[in-house]
Amino acid sequence: IMVPPNARGTVTFIAPSGKYTVADVVLETEFEGVKAKHTMMQVWPVRLPRPVTEKLAADHPLLTGQRVLDALFPCVQGGTTAIPGAFGCGKTVISQSLSKYSNSDFIVYVGCFAKGTQVLMSDGVSRSIEDVQIGEQVLGEDGLPREVVALPRGRETMYEVSETIGASGTDSVAPGGITFTCNATHELVVSTEQNVSVKTTVDVAEPHTAVSHFALDSAVDAATERSIKMVGTKTRIFDHTTHGADEATRLAKEFASSISEDPIRWTVEARDVGRMSANVCAATHQLYAPVLVEKPVLAAAIKDAGFDESHAAAVAYLLGLYYGNNDTSAASSLTVRKADQLLIDRIKSAVTEIKPTATVDVSAQGYVDIVTFTDEESDATAGLSGLLEKIAAKLGIAKASTALLITESFHIRESFLAGLIDATGRVDECSMTVMLSTEHTAVRDCIVSLARSLGIRTTTFADGDSSLDNYTVYMVGSVALDAVISRSSLPRLDVSASGSSIPRVSQNFGFNIRELPADEYFGLTLSDNSDHQFMLSNMALVHNCGERGNE
């Protein structure tokens, strides 16, 4: 083991034979009673020259495999080279060429995921990250494709990222929330809410008015001397002795008003999340993005079943009711709240729209009403209930899977979610906040995934004993949620926007992080002219993987 310059003493420990990472302690020395630990990695400030007795001339070239570089811009092994440039000028192309053709022993990558992590492709299909190939396209936050240009692989300490209820850093993990596993150097896409405060202090030796706010800055880790970008609290002091109390207060308020109130969007490596201060951590969230790609499948399934596909929204609404009523076995029998005439009228409207000859009957049963619809078809499979059961089976709904729905047309997603709301929830008509309750994890996950695919903010809670959990999903009021409610049994809202015209934006979620043992990681590197971000199947917005220095 080569010890760092200026290290000296007697070797007191050498790690036994085995597998170690470059950050593991493999050697200990002692000098004058002081012990020092050494790893296989040395960190050295870039502007501090390494102590040497002689500077050796380079005698071996770094062959890049690119003739224009090797001929006009030759590099040497052991040297340092930078390739600056704007988006689209070819940095990533050169980087990947170096990885493939240069006479290098290894390439260092950052930012990858555990095997099995589900990625959302540009066509809305989910695929395990290890199965994605170069040239394929994944889905970006804006609904547009991002081309995959490289597939980093390796082994490193891993971290499990889990969605929390409320602020980041807490131990309250959200039931059925977002979770994924990444390597230590993976960059998490985060957003920190700005917090500007103005405080005047007079009962001190130097009275002053202070302005505190969050700002992104760079710091150096004292242990490893590694430069780390981190949001922290910045404070500017306006002294009363210098400016006078009134003027200092005025200047402070003027400075505070000049600070942008927009959230700070940045990236932080998984291993550095624990370095955030408590107040920054509480204000920092990750993001999940709406699924802006639309890939209709329901209309074609309805047509194949012999019905008019123009009634797809009505079918989606009844499917949502059917799915939410999964304590009933027949699609033609739905359990509804007692004497809920608005809901009964909404069901009748949807049923007769699809099948004008159908009849709807209501019968009281204890604390609920049973709504049954029949039609004149002699063959039960050709009737309306047969249609719903066929569609449910074809879309996987009967098997508690609704993955296809998150890429459906917006109005179909809204109608299905409206049916779920009528089956399992209630709405606060003042705040237009929706609360849905279910004891079924499949229904819970369907509600959350559909709502989030539409850009609706959701939070999930669990309240139950060891034998049975009851889940409550809250959906926060927004224009996107109003559009869903307008398709439910509630009195129609005045929603002027619809479908793709509704603003659908990424939403925050709190998270915590837990270190795991080292394991294999799999990554994707996106094209240089992209924002280097893409979506997982759980709609988490994540950073791509790339070579160190290539971000």
Side-chain angles (χ1 to χ4, degrees), residues 150-410:
L151 303 171
R153 301 289 188 264
R155 184 180 180 86
E156 194 178 25
T157 300
M158 306 297 282
Y159 284 81
E160 181 185 61
V161 179
S162 301
E163 179 181 352
T164 59
I165 301 172
S168 296
T170 63
D171 294 329
S172 55
V173 176
I178 291 172
T179 181
F180 60 87
T181 301
C182 61
N183 65 332
T185 52
H186 175 75
E187 293 183 339
L188 303 175
V189 179
V190 296
S191 175
T192 302
E193 298 294 327
Q194 182 58 273
N195 182 21
V196 182
S197 64
V198 180
K199 182 179 180 181
T200 298
T201 305
V202 295
D203 54 345
V204 292
E206 298 181 355
H208 61 272
T209 299
V211 179
S212 298
H213 63 99
F214 290 147
L216 183 61
D217 201 358
S218 295
V220 177
D221 177 34
T224 63
E225 297 181 341
R226 178 169 57 91
S227 179
I228 302 170
K229 285 187 177 181
M230 185 73 61
V231 167
T233 301
K234 297 290 186 181
T235 303
R236 183 171 176 180
I237 303 295
F238 295 86
D239 183 60
H240 289 189
T241 303
T242 303
H243 302 286
D246 293 342
E247 180 65 10
T249 301
R250 187 192 69 80
L251 290 173
K253 290 181 178 179
E254 181 181 338
F255 173 69
S257 65
S258 69
I259 300 172
S260 173
E261 296 182 356
D262 294 337
I264 303 172
R265 188 89 168 256
W266 55 297
T267 59
V268 57
E269 290 186 10
R271 59 179 173 175
D272 293 330
V273 169
R275 299 175 183 270
M276 287 191 286
S277 63
N279 58 337
V280 171
C281 182
T284 300
H285 307 83
Q286 289 194 70
L287 300 167
Y288 59 81
V291 180
L292 300 181
V293 63
E294 296 181 86
K295 185 181 177 184
V297 294
L298 181 60
I302 294 172
K303 185 176 181 180
D304 290 344
F307 285 76
D308 187 350
E309 68 269 27
S310 66
H311 302 314
V315 173
Y317 172 77
L318 291 178
L319 282 171
L321 275 171
Y322 170 44
Y323 191 67
N325 270 259
N326 55 10
D327 55 337
T328 61
S329 57
S332 60
S333 180
L334 300 172
T335 303
V336 302
R337 294 180 290 271
K338 186 75 173 179
D340 191 338
Q341 191 58 45
L342 288 174
L343 177 53
I344 293 171
D345 291 343
R346 178 71 179 92
I347 294 173
K348 287 181 178 180
S349 173
V351 168
T352 54
E353 177 187 336
I354 302 167
K355 194 80 170 177
T357 59
T359 59
V360 179
D361 298 313
V362 182
S363 60
Q365 183 174 314
Y367 296 101
V368 297
D369 287 337
I370 304 298
V371 179
T372 305
F373 46 88
T374 57
D375 55 53
E376 298 176 352
E377 295 285 353
S378 57
D379 181 4
T381 61
L384 180 56
S385 61
L387 167 68
L388 295 181
E389 290 170 355
K390 279 193 236 178
I391 299 298
K394 184 162 186 175
L395 299 186
I397 295 173
K399 298 179 181 179
S401 171
T402 54
L404 286 175
L405 291 175
I406 67 169
T407 56
E408 252 292 355
S409 300
F410 288 124

